[in-house]
Amino acid sequence: MDEQLTAAADMAAHRQPAFPGESADYAKARQQLLAAEIEFRRHMTRLTAQRQALPPGPLITKDYRFKDEQSFEVGLIDLFGDKDVLVSYYWMFGPERERPCPMCTNWIGAVDGNASDIKQRVAYKILSRSPVERQFAFAQERGWRNTDFIQTIGDDYARDLDLLQPDGEYPALIVYRRDGDQVRLFWMSEMGREMADPGQDPRDAPDIAALWSILDLTPQGRPADWYPKLRY
C-alpha cells in the first residue's frame, strides 16, 4: 500500500500559509516539518495495523475477582458487559494512599470526557485496590461523570502484573478480548522504565496522555521537571 502513496514532500508542497509575513526560513522549515508529520501519521497508521494483527494473546486462566460499580463480586469476563473488548486502566489509588497519583488523575480526567463515546464501542473500566465508593467520591470531587470504577479483591491482580513494588504501586493500561466464555490478553503497555530514552520518562507510543500531546505542540515542549498536581 505504501508504494501507492504520494511522497510526503510532494504533499507538503501544497501547504498554504494561513497568515502573511512568513520568513523564508520559517516557510522552508515548516514545510519540511509538515512532510515529517505526514510520514509520522503514516507510520502511526502502520503501527495501528500491526497491533490489530497481533495473534491471539494468552488466556487469562486465574479467577481474578472484583467488585463492580454496584459492589457485586464479579469475574474479569463480567467486566466486558455486552462488549467483546475491555479497555482497562489500573490507577495508583491503593488504600494506603491518602490521595491518588496526580498523573493517573490527569489521564483519567482527560479520558472521562470521551468515555461515553468510548463505551459505545468497548467496555472501559478503571481498576484500583481501593473500594469503589472511595474511587467514586474522588471522581465526584473532580467532576468526572462518565467513568466506571472497579475494585480489585485482594492483591493478586496487582501482584501478578508486577504493579506492587517495594517503592509503591504502578499503573497499567491493558486491553482484553473476549474469546467465547474466556478472556485473552490483546495488548498491554510494556514500555517500562528500562526502555526510557536518555533524559525522558518512560512513555508509550503513541502517548495517549492528552496533557503531553498538547504540550508537545508548544515551543517549550514537555518540561523535564514538571508534573501535574491534584491542586495548584
Side-chain angles (χ1 to χ4, degrees):
M1 177 180 178
D2 283 6
E3 64 273 10
Q4 301 173 2
L5 299 175
T6 301
D10 293 341
M11 296 182 72
H14 293 287
R15 175 179 179 265
Q16 297 184 1
F19 298 101
E22 284 186 352
S23 69
D25 286 343
Y26 182 91
K28 179 180 179 181
R30 184 62 187 95
Q31 186 167 319
Q32 291 174 340
L33 175 61
L34 181 56
E37 289 170 338
I38 293 169
E39 291 288 4
F40 179 71
R41 180 191 67 197
R42 290 173 173 175
H43 181 70
M44 292 304 303
T45 300
R46 292 191 292 267
L47 180 65
T48 298
Q50 185 176 352
R51 182 184 301 111
Q52 292 171 340
L54 283 169
L59 284 171
I60 311 302
T61 58
K62 193 166 184 176
D63 185 23
Y64 295 110
R65 308 304 294 173
F66 307 88
K67 285 189 177 180
D68 66 10
E69 299 91 334
Q70 287 77 43
S71 291
F72 291 114
E73 183 173 329
V74 296
L76 183 60
I77 197 167
D78 299 307
L79 302 183
F80 285 72
D82 61 352
K83 302 296 190 294
D84 292 326
V85 174
L86 167 65
V87 177
S88 68
Y89 183 75
Y90 176 93
W91 66 318
M92 299 161 61
F93 192 19
E96 71 281 356
R97 298 182 67 107
E98 182 178 349
R99 305 285 278 168
C101 162
M103 192 62 239
C104 291
T105 299
N106 181 278
W107 190 94
I108 295 171
V111 179
D112 181 75
N114 278 291
S116 290
D117 297 317
I118 292 170
K119 290 188 289 186
Q120 295 299 310
R121 302 292 302 173
V122 299
Y124 169 63
K125 306 291 184 182
I126 301 298
L127 281 60
S128 167
R129 291 159 51 240
S130 284
V132 171
E133 295 80 8
R134 186 171 188 244
Q135 299 182 66
F136 185 67
F138 184 80
Q140 290 181 305
E141 176 185 324
R142 303 296 292 192
W144 300 341
R145 301 174 56 189
N146 305 305
T147 302
D148 301 326
F149 295 95
I150 302 295
Q151 177 189 356
T152 61
I153 297 179
D155 291 342
D156 282 1
Y157 186 82
R159 291 194 187 283
D160 289 351
L161 292 172
D162 212 24
L163 304 178
L164 292 182
Q165 298 287 335
D167 60 344
E169 58 182 347
Y170 288 85
L173 176 60
I174 307 177
V175 181
Y176 297 103
R177 169 178 274 174
R178 186 197 299 269
D179 185 356
D181 60 355
Q182 296 178 302
V183 175
R184 290 185 182 273
L185 173 69
F186 172 70
W187 174 91
M188 67 180 294
S189 170
E190 296 189 26
M191 290 195 188
R193 287 174 291 178
E194 69 281 358
M195 300 180 195
D197 290 320
Q200 297 186 8
D201 284 335
R203 63 180 189 268
D204 289 312
D207 190 337
I208 59 176
L211 168 66
W212 305 129
S213 296
I214 295 297
L215 292 183
D216 280 346
L217 298 174
T218 67
Q220 299 85 359
R222 59 179 77 198
D225 57 353
W226 180 89
Y227 295 92
K229 300 179 181 179
L230 297 182
R231 294 188 182 277
Y232 294 96

